[in-house]
């Protein structure tokens, strides 16, 4: 992952600040940086969102394609994840440089989002064992300034909220083969229920305390962190230790509790923002990258 | 069902433009903070981001360094969701590699590389949404990004595509026009001197039409040049207001 | 760049791809009216004096038709009376998707300046573009777009001075659309309503197509035919393999029978039989249909019966009888895959020529129309001019075929003239064979140089060519005139070996103008020894060598009797009819023409390997030779077919003593085995061989009459020798290939038309000559007939042994021979017979030559030779 060099004195300064609940940029330990969210930014996707968290900048595009259900879950559709760590973010990612990080991120995202608890996968099924919707969730990393997981998860939730899947009706062929017919009405489409879609909260252990939404400098002072995915009810759906160092069981417990609290609080304002934006409908001036 | 009628008898194209009209162009410089230079451009529904890093030390093998000028390093990639049919890989395929090479050639012709011997300038472009004229959008975005990075150039590099429909040269093709099977020419121009930085053409075209097509593409490039110039001037004004504060 | 462009996105889902297209709206699209002072148009299309006298609207008005009106009433819109029509882009786009022929026709109308049809690009106009609303179907949106545009026009033109009286009239047959339009304050009429209101031209009403409302009125409402499947079901069925797609070909002889030709992969195509009116299910000849195969138990064999749809039948009549397949008991060996039509993929209706069968009820307006082409069903038309049209050839277009109607419904398009007239009948056969025969347009003629026209001095570079300037056009060149030409000049040695070939543009100063016969006489007359005659002899000698060489390589000389009419100089009616006689000079000219063609073919192919226009003649598959083989065997002659050379040699050897005409007959049969020669583009094909001429490459460069293929070859050659430069279309191999296909199609249709024309003139000849007795030879033997060739006239006719009103004599057909035994006489191939020829005009639309046997005398079958008219010479054979 893109890293910055931090000298010892700086490290000490950051660690002491965290101990006193006062971070370099003036935040408390459980505060997020300024965040900007915009949906429907790429018109040829079925759903898209862009999230800026500090200088971290991610773009998520979702495309729905018709595929075959997996044999293990014949009556469910599924999600596919791809994270493109582009050279735009940092020259280190040029060529195949970003692939490792990309696959690490996409594996985690798959675990967090592709299950019936977070999304009604059954609603994506068109005909059991025959056809289902496959949602290709493509994440494009445009700028890295720490805390990628949280930014990506919020962008994915926003993009899923924005996703409109064309309506498909099944007509029975004469020999039992189902024929798919797409509705020609562009307004005739299916929305996804994103209520239970979790958000990821990454906590970084710095000294004896932990912080949410760590910047790259803070991250450089941390040996290990914990990733927690939390739904709007406060249910934890996934916990994963990240980073090279080790953590004590007690601090894992503490961090999980913090993650639960912070994560739960994240959902309500996010949903409000998304609904407000949608309410503006066609009148909304799209900003995208021009703002 | 009949195919698309690319040019109506009344002289309007699929999207309502006349043959010599460009799509709506919108652009912004300085989109990102971490990079040395960055820009975003929309030409109709084709959207591209360009980022410039450098000039900096040559990364990786030192042997790549040139003693008299800077190395231009380009990478072209497309977001997997940028096309109507989802792409499996953002870059690394044959077409992207070709595009990277074209960009490199274009900017080697325009950037004053001799000012930065033994160094490297990275130009990374990304297509966010593709609706024809990807190469042109990339060149135009990269020009703005290079200017944003403060790297001197001979002139703006402006690129535009042109094609031939019903014996008429049409410029700034959208995807439907590009995929019609006819000739598509991409041309990058240094408008002030009128030099061509790159020209490329697919499919056959009769020699008689070549001049008309080139002329149409060059005129389009010149008008694009004016738009880019406007963007740069406005950006400078905004930035100078900010710094004055 | 236009600054005021706003843009609206349009999404269209095809498959699951989300396609986003931009849609620019403009404010520089003008209304095109002479009244308007606001729009900045350069030229106007819609006139100030837009007056069509109508009861509904006495003031000037512009007409805006909706999509269905254009689609169904194109015949009306094409009428010169209808002017000042605004065709909306929405309408034009819909038509483009729904019917290519109508699209072409409406575009032709728009391009006709005198019609004052204006295309308004409403979809890109800022004030007339509308977005589809939630829950609105695509059709409803388009109807709304049409209304919006109509409204815009009426408001826009209100502002113009002197346009207070001007009205915009929306024509729509859709009730809901009409009502909504009236709610918006627009004048909207049904097309029929409007046309009927026109004061000056009551006959226009006949050309109205029947709308579905009217059709419901006519019919009893009883469903006679199974419903057609919707297109989506058809597509699904074809994909899953439960349905088959193919071209419907109605039987010429039996109106209850048809075949569907299903194109498979490569050679693998099949024909499926369809029998019975309900199974045919309203398909019309040449339609592309979807069909379902019947179970194997229900398969049938073609009935080989001749059945004509007799007389009008009411819709209430049961179809049962017509659904029962009549014919002999199924013979298992002959069973063919049988099916039924379940849906129509594409109608291929065109206007049909034919005649009206007047209704028996006096003052009735609905009549049945009988098309000239027997494969087309009868059509119900509505007309008030039935009495005038009786006995005339007319054209009728089909509008639709509802499921409760026995016949398709159509409308009258135009009258061609009295049936049986030479002009009318020629017109009919040209129309029926799709041969364009309109006069050249002004645009085309404008490219011709002004008359009088002469070669300017500087063009002539006097190169004195005293080498044998072989000009193949000996016969068409008139003396003492300078002619511009394209020449192929060979330098040859005594053995006719080509030493050097040169192509050049040339000016020919003809020494003499000779007909074939004159040239022949000079060559033969040993007293003549002038330069011209000597050079003719030289040419002739070379031609003979060339021909010999060609024949050694396996070129075929096949004959097919060519008929020539001697026309009466006053009436242009044929007065005599005879087969063309070929002289040595014909062969001489032919030889050099072939040589020129081959040389040019090679030249243009060398220069343009991708886009040379060539002509090939594929070798026929061996199975094609069956007839020839049997025919030769019947006379104990062996014909080898392994190669062109073997065939040519064995045909040369095939002689029978005392039967000199045998060889010609055999060659006629061999011609029938051959494939059709075709034009093709060298870049699109790999097999160039010309089988008949035994040449590896060939094209058409010279010809007595100018063919379009020659012109293209000339242009290519001109570029090849640097006399001209290329143009883009010339070098586009796809366009070239499309052109070849068109040439081949036109050529085929022209040949059909030519045959039909020969038949027509033959009929006219026999009409004037009465009954003739002639000798002939049996060319083919069929199950119930023999086909006889009359060498004197080059005329082929069928002698039937079965007829409706006579008892059929005992017939025994032997397929091996083939022979046919009638009573006690057995007919073999090539037997000499004597027949009487007369014209059968019992059916005015299908007059035909009737032949009956005179000799050999078979009691009950042959007829007595009728009285000969004194002017006729005794028929004699010229072997």
């Amino acid at each position: 992952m893109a890293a910055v060099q931090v000298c010892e004195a700086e490290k000490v300064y950051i660690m002491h600040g965290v101990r006193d609940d006062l971070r370099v940029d003036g935040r408390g330990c459980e505060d997020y940086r300024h965040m900007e969210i915009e949906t429907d930014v790429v018109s040829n996707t079925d759903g898209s969102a862009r999230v800026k968290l500090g200088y971290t900048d991610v773009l998520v595009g979702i495309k729905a394609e018709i595929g075959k259900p997996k044999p293990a879950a014949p009556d469910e559709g599924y999600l596919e994840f791809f994270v493109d760590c582009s050279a735009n973010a940092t020259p280190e990612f040029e060529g195949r440089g970003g692939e490792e990080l990309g696959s690490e991120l996409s594996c985690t995202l798959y675990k967090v989002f592709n299950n019936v608890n977070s999304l009604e996968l059954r609603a994506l099924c068109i005909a059991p064992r025959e056809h289902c919707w496959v949602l290709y969730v493509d994440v494009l990393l445009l700028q890295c300034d720490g805390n990628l997981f949280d930014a990506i998860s919020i962008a994915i939730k926003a993009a899923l909220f924005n996703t409109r899947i064309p309506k498909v009706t099944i007509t029975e062929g004469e020999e039992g083969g189902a024929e798919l017919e797409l509705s020609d009405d562009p307004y005739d489409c299916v929305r996804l229920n994103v209520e239970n879609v979790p958000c990821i909260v990454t906590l970084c252990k710095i000294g004896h305390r932990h912080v949410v939404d760590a910047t790259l400098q803070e991250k450089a002072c941390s040996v290990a962190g914990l990733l927690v995915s939390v739904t709007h009810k406060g249910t934890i759906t996934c916990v994963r230790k990240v980073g090279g160092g080790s953590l004590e069981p007690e601090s894992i417990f503490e961090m999980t509790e913090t993650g639960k609290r912070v994560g739960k609080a994240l959902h309500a304002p996010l949903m409000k923002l998304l609904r407000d934006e949608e309410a503006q409908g066609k009148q909304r001036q799209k900003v995208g990258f021009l703002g | 069902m009949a195919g698309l009628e690319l040019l109506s008898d009344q002289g309007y194209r699929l999207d309502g433009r006349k043959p010599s009209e460009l799509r709506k162009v919108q652009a912004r410089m300085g989109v990102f903070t971490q990079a040395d230079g960055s820009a975003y451009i929309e030409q109709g529904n084709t959207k591209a981001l360009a980022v410039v890093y450098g000039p900096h030390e040559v990364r990786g093998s030192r042997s790549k360094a040139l003693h008299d000028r800077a190395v231009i390093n380009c990478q072209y990639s497309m977001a997997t969701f940028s096309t109507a049919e989802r792409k499996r890989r953002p870059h690394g395929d044959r077409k992207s590699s070709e595009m990277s090479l074209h960009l490199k050639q274009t900017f080697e012709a325009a950037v004053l590389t001799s000012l930065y011997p033994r160094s490297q300038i990275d130009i990374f472009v990304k297509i966010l949404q593709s609706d024809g004229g990807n190469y042109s959008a990339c060149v135009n975005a990269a020009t703005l990004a290079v200017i944003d990075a403060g790297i001197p150039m001979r002139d703006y590099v402006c690129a535009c595509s042109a094609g031939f429909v019903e014996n008429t040269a049409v410029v700034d093709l959208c995807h439907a026009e590009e995929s019609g099977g006819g000739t598509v020419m991409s041309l990058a121009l240094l408008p002030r001197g009128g030099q061509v930085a790159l020209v490329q053409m697919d499919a056959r075209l009769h020699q008689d039409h070549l001049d008309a097509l080139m002329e149409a593409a060059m005129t389009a490039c010149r008008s694009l040049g004016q738009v880019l110039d406007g963007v740069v001037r406005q950006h400078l004004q905004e930035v100078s207001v900010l710094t004055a504060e | 760049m236009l600054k005021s462009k706003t843009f609206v996105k349009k999404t269209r889902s095809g498959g699951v791809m989300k396609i986003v297209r931009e849609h620019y709206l403009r404010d520089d699209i003008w209304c095109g009216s002479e009244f308007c002072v606001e729009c900045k148009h350069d030229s106007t299309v819609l006139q100030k004096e837009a007056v069509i006298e109508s009861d509904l609207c006495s003031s000037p008005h512009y007409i805006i038709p909706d999509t269905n009106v254009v689609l169904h009433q194109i015949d009306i819109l094409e009428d010169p009376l209808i002017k000042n029509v605004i065709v909306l882009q929405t309408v034009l786009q819909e038509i483009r998707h729904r019917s290519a022929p109508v699209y072409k026709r409406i575009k032709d109308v728009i391009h006709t300046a005198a019609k004052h049809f204006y295309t308004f690009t409403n979809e890109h106009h800022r004030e007339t573009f509308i977005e589809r609303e939630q829950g609105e179907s695509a059709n409803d949106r388009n109807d709304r777009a049409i209304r919006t545009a109509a409204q815009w026009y009426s408001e826009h033109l209100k502002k113009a001075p002197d346009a207070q009286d001007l009205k915009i009239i929306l024509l729509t047959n859709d009730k809901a659309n009409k009502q909504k339009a009236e709610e918006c304050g627009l004048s909207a009429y049904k097309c029929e309503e409007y046309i009927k209101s026109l004061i000056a031209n009551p006959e226009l009403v006949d050309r109205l197509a029947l709308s579905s409302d009217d059709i419901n009125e006519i019919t009893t409402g009883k469903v006679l035919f199974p419903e057609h499947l919707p297109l989506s079901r058809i597509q699904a069925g074809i994909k899953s393999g439960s349905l088959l797609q193919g071209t419907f070909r109605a039987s010429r002889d039996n109106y209850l029978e048809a075949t569907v030709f299903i194109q498979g992969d490569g050679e693998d195509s099949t024909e499926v039989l369809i029998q019975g009116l309900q199974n045919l299910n309203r398909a019309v000849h040449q339609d592309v249909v979807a069909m379902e195969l019947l179970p194997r138990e229900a398969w049938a064999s073609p009935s080989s019966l001749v059945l004509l749809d007799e007389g009008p039948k009411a819709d209430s009549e049961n179809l049962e009888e017509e659904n029962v397949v009549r014919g002999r008991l199924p013979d298992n060996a002959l069973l063919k895959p049988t099916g039924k039509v379940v849906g129509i993929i594409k109608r291929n209706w065109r206007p049909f020529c034919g005649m009206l069968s007047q209704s028996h009820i006096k003052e009735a307006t609905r009549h049945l129309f009988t098309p000239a082409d027997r494969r087309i069903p009868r059509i119900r038309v509505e007309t008030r001019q039935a009495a005038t049209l009786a006995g005339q050839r007319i054209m009728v277009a089909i509008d639709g075929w509802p499921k409760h109607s026995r016949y398709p419904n159509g409308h009258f398009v135009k009258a061609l003239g009295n049936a049986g007239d030479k002009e009318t009948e020629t017109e009919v056969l040209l129309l029926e064979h799709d041969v364009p025969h309109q006069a050249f347009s002004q645009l085309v003629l404008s490219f011709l140089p002004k008359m009088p026209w002469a070669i300017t001095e500087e063009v002539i570079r006097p190169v004195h060519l005293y080498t044998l300037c072989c000009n193949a056009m000996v016969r068409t060149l008139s003396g003492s005139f300078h002619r511009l030409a394209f020449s192929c000049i060979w330098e040859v040695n005594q053995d006719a070996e080509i030493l050097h070939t040169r192509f050049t543009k040339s000016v020919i100063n003809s020494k003499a103008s000779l007909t074939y016969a004159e040239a022949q006489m000079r060559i033969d007359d040993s007293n003549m020894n002038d330069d011209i005659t000597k050079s003719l002899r030289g040419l002739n000698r070379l031609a003979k060598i060339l021909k010999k060489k060609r024949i050694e390589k396996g070129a075929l000389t096949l004959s097919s009797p060519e008929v020539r009419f001697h026309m009466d100089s006053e009436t242009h009616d044929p007065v005599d009819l005879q087969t063309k006689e070929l002289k040595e000079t014909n062969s001489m000219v032919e030889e050099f023409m072939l040589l020129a063609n081959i040389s040019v073919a090679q030249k243009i192919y060398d220069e343009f390997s991708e886009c040379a226009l060539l002509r090939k003649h594929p070798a026929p598959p061996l199975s094609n030779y069956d007839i020839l083989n049997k025919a030769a065997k019947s006379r104990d002659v062996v014909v080898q077919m392994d190669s062109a050379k073997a065939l040519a040699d064995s045909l040369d050897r095939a002689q029978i003593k005392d039967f000199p005409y045998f060889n010609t007959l055999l060659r006629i049969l061999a011609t029938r085995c051959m494939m059709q020669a075709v034009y093709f583009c060298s870049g699109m094909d790999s097999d160039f061989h010309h089988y008949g001429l035994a040449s590896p490459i060939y094209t058409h460069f010279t010809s007595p009459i100018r063919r379009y293929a020659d012109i293209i070859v000339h242009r290519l050659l001109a570029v090849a020798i640097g006399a001209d430069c290329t143009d883009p279309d010339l070098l586009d191999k796809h366009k070239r290939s499309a052109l070849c296909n068109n040439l081949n199609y036109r050529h085929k249709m022209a040949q059909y038309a030519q045959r039909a024309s020969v038949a027509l003139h033959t009929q006219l000849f026999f009409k004037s000559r009465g009954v003739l007795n002639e000798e002939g030879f049996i060319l083919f033997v069929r199950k119930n007939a023999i086909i006889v060739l009359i060498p004197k006239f080059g005329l082929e006719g069928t002698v039937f042994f079965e007829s409706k009103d006579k008892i059929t004599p005992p017939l025994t057909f032997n397929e091996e021979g083939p022979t046919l035994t009638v009573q006690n006489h057995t007919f073999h191939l090539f037997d000499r017979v004597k027949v009487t020829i007369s014209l059968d005009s019992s059916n005015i639309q299908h007059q035909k030559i009737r032949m009956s046997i005179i000799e050999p005398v078979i009691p009950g079958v042959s007829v007595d030779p009728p009285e000969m008219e004194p002017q006729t010479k005794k028929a004699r054979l010229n072997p």
Side-chain angles (χ1 to χ4, degrees), chain C residues 94-140:
Chain C
E94 270 195 288
I95 289 171
R96 191 162 180 272
H97 284 292
R98 287 172 55 183
S99 166
V102 175
Y103 181 68
K104 193 186 168 295
R105 285 167 73 182
I106 189 77
K107 275 187 89 163
D108 285 346
V109 173
I110 291 167
H111 285 295
T112 310
K115 290 283 285 168
H116 299 281
F117 272 49
Y118 181 68
T119 315
F120 182 62
T121 313
N122 63 315
E123 294 286 348
H124 289 289
H125 193 287
R126 194 152 65 154
E127 285 159 30
T128 56
F129 173 77
I130 54 156
E131 257 188 293
R132 187 166 162 181
E133 279 168 3
Q134 195 148 5
E136 193 176 36
S137 78
N139 275 335
D140 288 345

Side-chain angles (χ1 to χ4, degrees), chain C residues 122-389:
Chain C
N122 63 315
E123 294 286 348
H124 289 289
H125 193 287
R126 194 152 65 154
E127 285 159 30
T128 56
F129 173 77
I130 54 156
E131 257 188 293
R132 187 166 162 181
E133 279 168 3
Q134 195 148 5
E136 193 176 36
S137 78
N139 275 335
D140 288 345
R141 188 216 90 100
N142 287 344
D143 283 346
R144 191 156 63 88
I146 293 167
R147 289 196 303 271
T148 311
Q151 226 171 345
W152 179 85
Y153 254 102
S154 36
E155 271 155 36
H156 175 78
L157 290 175
K158 255 181 214 152
K159 291 181 243 164
D162 339 315
Q164 280 74 25
D165 289 345
L166 187 79
K167 268 194 166 170
I168 300 294
I169 290 184
L170 180 69
L171 290 188
T172 175
N173 286 341
D174 184 298
K175 275 182 193 145
N177 194 13
K178 184 172 179 247
Q179 196 187 339
K180 278 182 190 158
E182 279 163 354
E183 280 165 20
C184 310
L186 283 164
S187 320
Y189 300 113
K190 284 175 75 176
C191 186
E192 205 189 23
E193 195 181 358
Y194 175 77
I195 297 300
K196 281 183 180 161
S197 80
L198 297 183
I199 297 160
N201 293 58
E203 73 277 4
L204 211 54
V205 176
D206 281 357
R207 298 179 61 175
L208 271 172
L210 299 172
S211 65
S212 49
D213 292 0
D214 309 332
I215 289 162
N216 286 338
E217 278 167 36
I218 300 171
T219 50
T220 51
K222 188 178 166 192
V223 176
L224 297 175
F225 292 102
E227 183 99 48
H228 286 152
L229 294 180
L231 203 58
S232 56
R233 286 273 301 280
I234 292 176
Q235 279 162 345
I238 289 171
K239 214 170 140 196
S240 72
S242 61
L243 299 182
L244 296 169
Q245 171 178 349
T247 312
F248 184 88
R249 292 176 181 172
S251 159
R252 218 179 265 276
D253 301 322
N254 186 340
Y255 77 104
L256 293 178
E257 206 168 271
T259 51
V260 171
F261 183 77
I262 292 155
Q263 184 83 48
D265 302 327
E267 301 289 293
D268 184 30
S269 21
T270 40
E271 268 192 352
V272 179
L273 184 71
I274 299 182
Q275 291 182 323
L277 218 48
Q278 286 210 314
N279 286 344
L280 297 174
N281 198 1
R282 295 169 282 155
V284 177
H285 184 63
Q286 287 294 331
D287 285 349
V288 180
V289 298
M291 56 160 305
E292 193 178 276
L293 277 185
L294 296 176
R296 202 168 269 271
E297 310 87 76
W299 285 13
S301 56
S303 62
S304 73
L305 269 181
V306 177
L307 276 182
L308 288 180
D309 191 1
E310 314 273 1
K313 287 191 180 76
D315 293 327
S316 50
E317 262 178 73
N318 262 334
L319 292 182
E320 254 156 57
E321 191 197 350
E322 289 171 285
N323 284 319
V324 179
V325 179
R326 286 177 286 180
R328 59 182 153 196
L329 284 170
D331 176 351
N332 274 330
L334 290 167
L335 283 189
K336 281 183 82 176
T338 308
K340 60 175 183 190
V341 173
V342 294
I344 307 287
I345 296 167
K346 189 171 172 281
R347 289 289 194 189
N348 245 335
W349 293 343
R350 57 181 172 90
F352 300 104
C353 299
M355 289 178 75
L356 208 62
S357 320
Q358 219 177 323
S359 171
H360 300 302
I361 311 155
K362 226 183 156 190
E363 268 108 40
T365 52
R366 285 181 192 120
H367 307 273
L368 269 187
F369 164 83
T370 312
D373 189 339
R374 279 194 218 137
R375 293 168 297 189
I376 308 297
R378 292 178 159 202
I379 303 164
R380 197 196 320 256
V381 292
E382 194 171 334
T383 176
R384 286 162 192 79
Q385 331 168 47
T388 345
L389 294 179

Side-chain angles (χ1 to χ4, degrees), chain C residues 13 31 99 143 177 180 206 275 299 303 371 386 432 446 480 517 526 575 587 708 729 734 742 832:
Chain C
S13 296
C31 68
S99 166
D143 283 346
N177 194 13
K180 278 182 190 158
D206 281 357
Q275 291 182 323
W299 285 13
S303 62
E432 283 291 294
S446 70
S480 79
S526 51
V575 290
S587 161
Y708 193 70
D729 278 3
H734 297 283
N742 188 32
R832 186 179 298 203

Side-chain angles (χ1 to χ4, degrees), chain A residues 43 45 174 182 184-185 187, chain C residues 15-16 18 20 132 233 242:
Chain A
S43 58
T45 58
E174 267 156 42
L182 266 141
D184 81 318
D185 186 351
Y187 293 97
Chain C
V16 282
K18 188 174 175 188
V20 184
R132 187 166 162 181
R233 286 273 301 280
S242 61

